[in-house]
PDB file of all heavy atoms in Angstrom:
ATOM      1  N   SER A 144      12.689 -13.971   0.513  1.00 98.00           N
ATOM      2  CA  SER A 144      13.115 -12.919  -0.340  1.00 98.00           C
ATOM      3  C   SER A 144      12.249 -11.625  -0.094  1.00 98.00           C
ATOM      4  O   SER A 144      12.730 -10.524  -0.268  1.00 98.00           O
ATOM      5  CB  SER A 144      12.901 -13.301  -1.813  1.00 98.00           C
ATOM      6  OG  SER A 144      13.824 -14.203  -2.127  1.00 98.00           O
ATOM      7  N   GLY A 145      10.960 -11.888   0.228  1.00 98.00           N
ATOM      8  CA  GLY A 145      10.093 -10.639   0.626  1.00 98.00           C
ATOM      9  C   GLY A 145      10.503 -10.124   1.910  1.00 98.00           C
ATOM     10  O   GLY A 145      10.602  -8.930   1.998  1.00 98.00           O
ATOM     11  N   PHE A 146      10.821 -10.781   2.861  1.00 97.00           N
ATOM     12  CA  PHE A 146      11.392 -10.337   4.132  1.00 97.00           C
ATOM     13  C   PHE A 146      12.623  -9.507   3.855  1.00 97.00           C
ATOM     14  O   PHE A 146      12.831  -8.450   4.469  1.00 97.00           O
ATOM     15  CB  PHE A 146      11.567 -11.456   5.208  1.00 97.00           C
ATOM     16  CG  PHE A 146      10.333 -12.035   5.695  1.00 97.00           C
ATOM     17  CD1 PHE A 146      10.413 -13.408   6.246  1.00 97.00           C
ATOM     18  CD2 PHE A 146       9.139 -11.396   5.850  1.00 97.00           C
ATOM     19  CE1 PHE A 146       9.259 -14.111   6.621  1.00 97.00           C
ATOM     20  CE2 PHE A 146       8.073 -12.069   6.367  1.00 97.00           C
ATOM     21  CZ  PHE A 146       8.211 -13.500   6.774  1.00 97.00           C
ATOM     22  N   ASN A 147      13.454 -10.131   3.189  1.00 97.00           N
ATOM     23  CA  ASN A 147      14.851  -9.627   2.946  1.00 97.00           C
ATOM     24  C   ASN A 147      14.540  -8.184   2.184  1.00 97.00           C
ATOM     25  O   ASN A 147      15.304  -7.213   2.552  1.00 97.00           O
ATOM     26  CB  ASN A 147      15.717 -10.516   2.242  1.00 97.00           C
ATOM     27  CG  ASN A 147      17.155  -9.826   2.102  1.00 97.00           C
ATOM     28  OD1 ASN A 147      17.788  -9.583   3.001  1.00 97.00           O
ATOM     29  ND2 ASN A 147      17.528  -9.659   0.788  1.00 97.00           N
ATOM     30  N   GLY A 148      13.846  -8.217   1.127  1.00 97.00           N
ATOM     31  CA  GLY A 148      13.529  -7.031   0.416  1.00 97.00           C
ATOM     32  C   GLY A 148      12.936  -5.936   1.175  1.00 97.00           C
ATOM     33  O   GLY A 148      13.376  -4.646   1.094  1.00 97.00           O
ATOM     34  N   ALA A 149      12.085  -6.205   2.141  1.00 96.00           N
ATOM     35  CA  ALA A 149      11.422  -5.146   3.102  1.00 96.00           C
ATOM     36  C   ALA A 149      12.604  -4.554   3.927  1.00 96.00           C
ATOM     37  O   ALA A 149      12.687  -3.270   4.016  1.00 96.00           O
ATOM     38  CB  ALA A 149      10.383  -5.665   3.866  1.00 96.00           C
ATOM     39  N   ILE A 150      13.522  -5.419   4.419  1.00 95.00           N
ATOM     40  CA  ILE A 150      14.497  -4.913   5.405  1.00 95.00           C
ATOM     41  C   ILE A 150      15.559  -4.171   4.498  1.00 95.00           C
ATOM     42  O   ILE A 150      16.086  -3.076   4.997  1.00 95.00           O
ATOM     43  CB  ILE A 150      15.169  -6.043   6.048  1.00 95.00           C
ATOM     44  CG1 ILE A 150      14.253  -6.643   6.994  1.00 95.00           C
ATOM     45  CG2 ILE A 150      16.490  -5.709   6.795  1.00 95.00           C
ATOM     46  CD1 ILE A 150      14.827  -8.097   7.638  1.00 95.00           C
ATOM     47  N   LEU A 151      15.944  -4.696   3.362  1.00 95.00           N
ATOM     48  CA  LEU A 151      16.882  -3.960   2.476  1.00 95.00           C
ATOM     49  C   LEU A 151      16.427  -2.641   2.009  1.00 95.00           C
ATOM     50  O   LEU A 151      17.107  -1.559   1.880  1.00 95.00           O
ATOM     51  CB  LEU A 151      17.236  -4.764   1.218  1.00 95.00           C
ATOM     52  CG  LEU A 151      18.304  -5.802   1.500  1.00 95.00           C
ATOM     53  CD1 LEU A 151      18.541  -6.647   0.273  1.00 95.00           C
ATOM     54  CD2 LEU A 151      19.535  -5.419   2.276  1.00 95.00           C
ATOM     55  N   ALA A 152      15.053  -2.332   1.814  1.00 95.00           N
ATOM     56  CA  ALA A 152      14.577  -1.155   1.431  1.00 95.00           C
ATOM     57  C   ALA A 152      14.782  -0.138   2.632  1.00 95.00           C
ATOM     58  O   ALA A 152      15.320   1.008   2.355  1.00 95.00           O
ATOM     59  CB  ALA A 152      13.003  -1.167   1.191  1.00 95.00           C
ATOM     60  N   LEU A 153      14.607  -0.544   3.753  1.00 95.00           N
ATOM     61  CA  LEU A 153      14.846   0.264   4.902  1.00 95.00           C
ATOM     62  C   LEU A 153      16.420   0.572   5.041  1.00 95.00           C
ATOM     63  O   LEU A 153      16.824   1.703   5.158  1.00 95.00           O
ATOM     64  CB  LEU A 153      14.355  -0.393   6.234  1.00 95.00           C
ATOM     65  CG  LEU A 153      14.827   0.378   7.596  1.00 95.00           C
ATOM     66  CD1 LEU A 153      14.190   1.680   7.652  1.00 95.00           C
ATOM     67  CD2 LEU A 153      14.395  -0.588   8.731  1.00 95.00           C
ATOM     68  N   ARG A 154      17.161  -0.405   5.075  1.00 95.00           N
ATOM     69  CA  ARG A 154      18.620  -0.462   5.194  1.00 95.00           C
ATOM     70  C   ARG A 154      19.198   0.518   4.082  1.00 95.00           C
ATOM     71  O   ARG A 154      20.081   1.299   4.501  1.00 95.00           O
ATOM     72  CB  ARG A 154      19.169  -1.715   5.121  1.00 95.00           C
ATOM     73  CG  ARG A 154      20.642  -1.760   5.474  1.00 95.00           C
ATOM     74  CD  ARG A 154      21.386  -3.135   5.524  1.00 95.00           C
ATOM     75  NE  ARG A 154      22.618  -3.198   5.751  1.00 95.00           N
ATOM     76  CZ  ARG A 154      23.180  -3.306   6.926  1.00 95.00           C
ATOM     77  NH1 ARG A 154      22.415  -3.311   7.965  1.00 95.00           N
ATOM     78  NH2 ARG A 154      24.577  -3.333   7.028  1.00 95.00           N
ATOM     79  N   ILE A 155      18.866   0.445   2.965  1.00 95.00           N
ATOM     80  CA  ILE A 155      19.519   1.132   1.754  1.00 95.00           C
ATOM     81  C   ILE A 155      19.071   2.629   2.031  1.00 95.00           C
ATOM     82  O   ILE A 155      19.959   3.563   1.874  1.00 95.00           O
ATOM     83  CB  ILE A 155      19.104   0.709   0.499  1.00 95.00           C
ATOM     84  CG1 ILE A 155      19.771  -0.653   0.263  1.00 95.00           C
ATOM     85  CG2 ILE A 155      19.374   1.549  -0.622  1.00 95.00           C
ATOM     86  CD1 ILE A 155      19.422  -1.509  -1.023  1.00 95.00           C
ATOM     87  N   ARG A 156      17.902   2.936   2.449  1.00 95.00           N
ATOM     88  CA  ARG A 156      17.481   4.324   2.670  1.00 95.00           C
ATOM     89  C   ARG A 156      18.412   4.881   3.833  1.00 95.00           C
ATOM     90  O   ARG A 156      18.871   6.004   3.578  1.00 95.00           O
ATOM     91  CB  ARG A 156      15.926   4.356   3.002  1.00 95.00           C
ATOM     92  CG  ARG A 156      15.398   5.799   3.199  1.00 95.00           C
ATOM     93  CD  ARG A 156      14.030   5.806   3.688  1.00 95.00           C
ATOM     94  NE  ARG A 156      13.725   5.103   4.881  1.00 95.00           N
ATOM     95  CZ  ARG A 156      13.966   5.500   6.066  1.00 95.00           C
ATOM     96  NH1 ARG A 156      14.538   6.587   6.378  1.00 95.00           N
ATOM     97  NH2 ARG A 156      13.583   4.738   7.126  1.00 95.00           N
ATOM     98  N   ILE A 157      18.538   4.210   4.861  1.00 94.00           N
ATOM     99  CA  ILE A 157      19.323   4.571   5.921  1.00 94.00           C
ATOM    100  C   ILE A 157      20.798   4.857   5.526  1.00 94.00           C
ATOM    101  O   ILE A 157      21.374   5.920   5.948  1.00 94.00           O
ATOM    102  CB  ILE A 157      19.173   3.706   7.171  1.00 94.00           C
ATOM    103  CG1 ILE A 157      17.831   3.678   7.703  1.00 94.00           C
ATOM    104  CG2 ILE A 157      20.317   3.987   8.261  1.00 94.00           C
ATOM    105  CD1 ILE A 157      17.577   2.622   8.719  1.00 94.00           C
ATOM    106  N   GLU A 158      21.345   3.861   4.810  1.00 93.00           N
ATOM    107  CA  GLU A 158      22.716   4.077   4.365  1.00 93.00           C
ATOM    108  C   GLU A 158      22.909   5.267   3.431  1.00 93.00           C
ATOM    109  O   GLU A 158      23.828   5.942   3.402  1.00 93.00           O
ATOM    110  CB  GLU A 158      23.145   2.763   3.759  1.00 93.00           C
ATOM    111  CG  GLU A 158      24.596   2.668   3.345  1.00 93.00           C
ATOM    112  CD  GLU A 158      25.134   1.445   2.916  1.00 93.00           C
ATOM    113  OE1 GLU A 158      24.560   0.352   3.446  1.00 93.00           O
ATOM    114  OE2 GLU A 158      26.058   1.299   2.134  1.00 93.00           O
ATOM    115  N   GLU A 159      22.036   5.376   2.523  1.00 92.00           N
ATOM    116  CA  GLU A 159      22.047   6.445   1.566  1.00 92.00           C
ATOM    117  C   GLU A 159      22.019   7.830   2.112  1.00 92.00           C
ATOM    118  O   GLU A 159      22.816   8.642   1.844  1.00 92.00           O
ATOM    119  CB  GLU A 159      20.970   6.339   0.451  1.00 92.00           C
ATOM    120  CG  GLU A 159      21.245   5.182  -0.647  1.00 92.00           C
ATOM    121  CD  GLU A 159      22.519   5.541  -1.411  1.00 92.00           C
ATOM    122  OE1 GLU A 159      22.831   6.727  -1.764  1.00 92.00           O
ATOM    123  OE2 GLU A 159      23.126   4.511  -1.673  1.00 92.00           O
ATOM    124  N   GLU A 160      21.052   7.870   3.248  1.00 92.00           N
ATOM    125  CA  GLU A 160      21.121   9.223   3.994  1.00 92.00           C
ATOM    126  C   GLU A 160      22.414   9.434   4.702  1.00 92.00           C
ATOM    127  O   GLU A 160      22.811  10.679   4.858  1.00 92.00           O
ATOM    128  CB  GLU A 160      19.874   9.071   4.932  1.00 92.00           C
ATOM    129  CG  GLU A 160      18.493   9.224   4.299  1.00 92.00           C
ATOM    130  CD  GLU A 160      17.372   9.015   5.341  1.00 92.00           C
ATOM    131  OE1 GLU A 160      17.622   8.797   6.513  1.00 92.00           O
ATOM    132  OE2 GLU A 160      16.243   8.938   4.829  1.00 92.00           O
ATOM    133  N   ALA A 161      22.895   8.458   5.267  1.00 89.00           N
ATOM    134  CA  ALA A 161      24.307   8.675   6.015  1.00 89.00           C
ATOM    135  C   ALA A 161      25.331   8.949   4.975  1.00 89.00           C
ATOM    136  O   ALA A 161      26.089   9.832   5.359  1.00 89.00           O
ATOM    137  CB  ALA A 161      24.455   7.352   6.710  1.00 89.00           C
ATOM    138  N   LEU A 162      25.281   8.437   3.814  1.00 86.00           N
ATOM    139  CA  LEU A 162      26.333   8.848   2.858  1.00 86.00           C
ATOM    140  C   LEU A 162      26.130  10.293   2.342  1.00 86.00           C
ATOM    141  O   LEU A 162      27.117  10.912   2.047  1.00 86.00           O
ATOM    142  CB  LEU A 162      26.334   7.774   1.759  1.00 86.00           C
ATOM    143  CG  LEU A 162      26.829   6.329   2.150  1.00 86.00           C
ATOM    144  CD1 LEU A 162      26.655   5.362   0.965  1.00 86.00           C
ATOM    145  CD2 LEU A 162      28.204   6.323   2.598  1.00 86.00           C
TER     146      LEU A 162
END
Side-chain angles (χ1 to χ4, degrees):
S144 289
F146 290 151
N147 185 60
I150 293 169
L151 282 182
L153 171 66
R154 184 175 178 92
I155 289 171
R156 182 181 56 78
I157 292 169
E158 186 170 330
E159 285 296 321
E160 288 173 3
L162 292 175

